[in-house]
Amino acid sequence: MIQRVQSVFLLLVTISMVTSTLFPIWLQVNPDQTQSMEMTAWYTTITDTVDGSIISQSNNIYIGIVAIISAALAIYSLLQYKNRKKQLLINMINALMMASTLGLAVYTSFQANESFNPTVGGAFLIGFYSIVFGLIMNLIANRFIRKDEMLIRSVDRIR
């Protein structure tokens, strides 16, 4: 199972999606540097940078849930190494889940930016880039799974 290179890529997908739930996705500081807004996969928090108190907090739990489902799909796909067609199908569904996670993160950050400070854009952080990394690793894993499937078909043809 783990000796195949696509298994390593699927493991990296799992790690990156879990990382996206643990680290901040987006951050913005207002121009006078008195408040900051941080978005994670679970909540968006506006804090006072002077004393560190939380001014307001809203839920983004839907981003975290979709990211966890995507990580679980990657683990399930990793365990389906004997059935490559099923593994490809699971990875395609997982790509849709990760794309929706990315879309939800971008949409939520733009909505938060409009309510906080529309003149200045925020910065995407490691949580956002880990989603992108996971999507790329999923695509690479699919490529190697297809390559294995083609190799097996060609060996069956020779027999």
Side-chain angles (χ1 to χ4, degrees):
M1 169 175 77
I2 202 71
Q3 68 268 16
R4 296 170 47 211
V5 69
Q6 57 265 33
S7 298
V8 174
F9 288 122
L10 288 171
L11 188 64
L12 287 173
V13 169
T14 304
I15 291 170
S16 67
M17 293 312 289
V18 169
T19 301
S20 71
T21 63
L22 299 176
F23 288 97
I25 294 174
W26 180 77
L27 176 71
Q28 182 182 11
V29 179
N30 67 354
D32 54 351
Q33 307 261 328
T34 58
Q35 293 178 347
S36 68
M37 178 182 271
E38 181 181 68
M39 184 181 85
T40 65
W42 306 107
Y43 53 85
T44 301
T45 306
I46 299 175
T47 56
D48 188 1
T49 56
V50 177
D51 62 357
S53 63
I54 295 175
I55 296 171
S56 71
Q57 188 172 11
S58 61
N59 284 333
N60 296 337
I61 197 164
Y62 48 89
I63 297 173
I65 289 172
V66 175
I68 293 296
I69 290 171
S70 181
L73 277 174
I75 290 172
Y76 182 67
S77 177
L78 178 66
L79 298 174
Q80 297 298 316
Y81 59 92
K82 291 183 181 178
N83 190 350
R84 285 172 299 282
K85 290 180 184 179
K86 186 174 183 181
Q87 199 174 26
L88 279 171
L89 178 67
I90 294 168
N91 284 348
M92 285 184 216
I93 294 169
N94 199 11
L96 289 173
M97 294 296 285
M98 286 189 282
S100 64
T101 304
L102 192 63
L104 285 170
V106 169
Y107 177 75
T108 306
S109 68
F110 282 135
Q111 291 298 319
N113 189 33
E114 288 296 318
S115 68
F116 187 66
N117 188 7
T119 59
V120 179
F124 288 108
L125 300 174
I126 191 166
F128 178 80
Y129 293 115
S130 68
I131 298 169
V132 174
F133 179 74
L135 193 57
I136 292 169
M137 292 298 109
N138 192 44
L139 293 174
I140 294 172
N142 275 348
R143 181 171 183 253
F144 281 108
I145 293 168
R146 276 191 214 103
K147 192 175 179 181
D148 272 1
E149 184 66 25
M150 299 286 256
L151 179 67
I152 298 228
R153 283 185 185 172
S154 70
V155 169
D156 286 343
R157 222 178 335 177
I158 293 173
R159 285 189 219 175

